[in-house]
Structures are given as structure tokens and as C-alpha cells.
């Protein structure tokens, strides 16, 4: 964790070459701010039919850690907002959800 998904309408999706640079920058934010280990970061892009709301929706699910304070999460969401605006020109809806480790089950 973190597991990050970016949903974008067809008109706002990234071009293939932009995926890599955006992913690198986003993973950098996760490492620097969230202190995520590189091999635990997962980033997915979904082109979606947006029926209502902003054309880009960002969702991060992550393990709750004592050092991931409210102010740190505010900084992360602020930096994600700046990154998305810089790359797309859109103010995305950004949501982060943290889970206690005892509530996370997975393999690999």
C-alpha cells in the first residue's frame, strides 16, 4: 500500500507517454510524503464514463500509520492536487482512505 487509482473521463485521460512521467511523480510523492516503500506502491488508471462530477477522480487507499498525521495527509492531497492540475489543467476530486493493518488482507 498505497493503492492509488485515477479515474478520468475519455476527454481528460492521459496520453500513453504521459502515464510514465505522471506515475513517476506520483510515486515520488508517495515515497517522500507518505514514506511508502517503492515496492508497495500501486498506481492504476481507469478511463471512465463520468455521469456526474469532476472529470478526474483520485482515490488512494493506504495503511494507517502513526506518522501519517492529518497535516501530513493534507500535504499529500495538496501536492497531488497541484500535480494533477499541472498535468491536466483540471481540479480533481481527491480522496484518501486509511485502514488499520488488522483490517487489510492480501497476497503478493
Amino acid at each position: 500500500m498505497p493503492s492509488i487509482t485515477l479515474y478520468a473521463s475519455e476527454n481528460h485521460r492521459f496520453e500513453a507517454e504521459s502515464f510514465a512521467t505522471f506515475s513517476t511523480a506520483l510515486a515520488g510523492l508517495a515515497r517522500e510524503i507518505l514514506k511508502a516503500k517503492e515496492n508497495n506502491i500501486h498506481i492504476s488508471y481507469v478511463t471512465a464514463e463520468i455521469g456526474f462530477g469532476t472529470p478526474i477522480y483520485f482515490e488512494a487507499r493506504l495503511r494507517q500509520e502513526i506518522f501519517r498525521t492529518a497535516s501530513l495527509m493534507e500535504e499529500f492531497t495538496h501536492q497531488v492536487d497541484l500535480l494533477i492540475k499541472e498535468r491536466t489543467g483540471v481540479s480533481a476530486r481527491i480522496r484518501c482512505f486509511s485502514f488499520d493493518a488488522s483490517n487489510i488482507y492480501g497476497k503478493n
Side-chain angles (χ1 to χ4, degrees):
M1 279 190 134
S3 178
I4 297 169
T5 305
L6 186 78
Y7 300 88
S9 69
E10 183 71 33
N11 295 338
H12 291 88
R13 70 185 188 121
F14 284 96
E15 297 298 322
E17 61 214 28
S18 299
F19 282 139
T21 57
F22 181 80
S23 293
T24 299
L26 188 54
L29 291 176
R31 283 191 314 274
E32 293 164 22
I33 298 173
L34 300 178
K35 305 297 183 220
K37 294 177 184 169
E38 188 165 335
N39 62 333
N40 290 342
I41 301 169
H42 188 262
I43 301 171
S44 299
Y45 300 98
V46 178
T47 302
E49 288 289 329
I50 307 293
F52 188 84
T54 62
I56 298 177
Y57 174 75
F58 174 95
E59 181 175 284
R61 296 176 181 271
L62 46 111
R63 184 175 289 110
Q64 192 174 40
E65 299 284 358
I66 194 155
F67 58 84
R68 290 185 181 149
T69 62
S71 61
L72 182 130
M73 294 307 299
E74 287 175 21
E75 178 63 16
F76 178 69
T77 57
H78 174 71
Q79 292 302 320
V80 167
D81 184 43
L82 292 176
L83 179 63
I84 292 172
K85 283 180 186 172
E86 173 189 305
R87 303 297 170 106
T88 68
V90 172
S91 291
R93 174 162 283 195
I94 299 170
R95 297 293 182 264
C96 296
F97 304 94
S98 61
F99 300 91
D100 184 83
S102 65
N103 292 319
I104 300 171
Y105 305 91
K107 184 175 178 169
N108 300 332

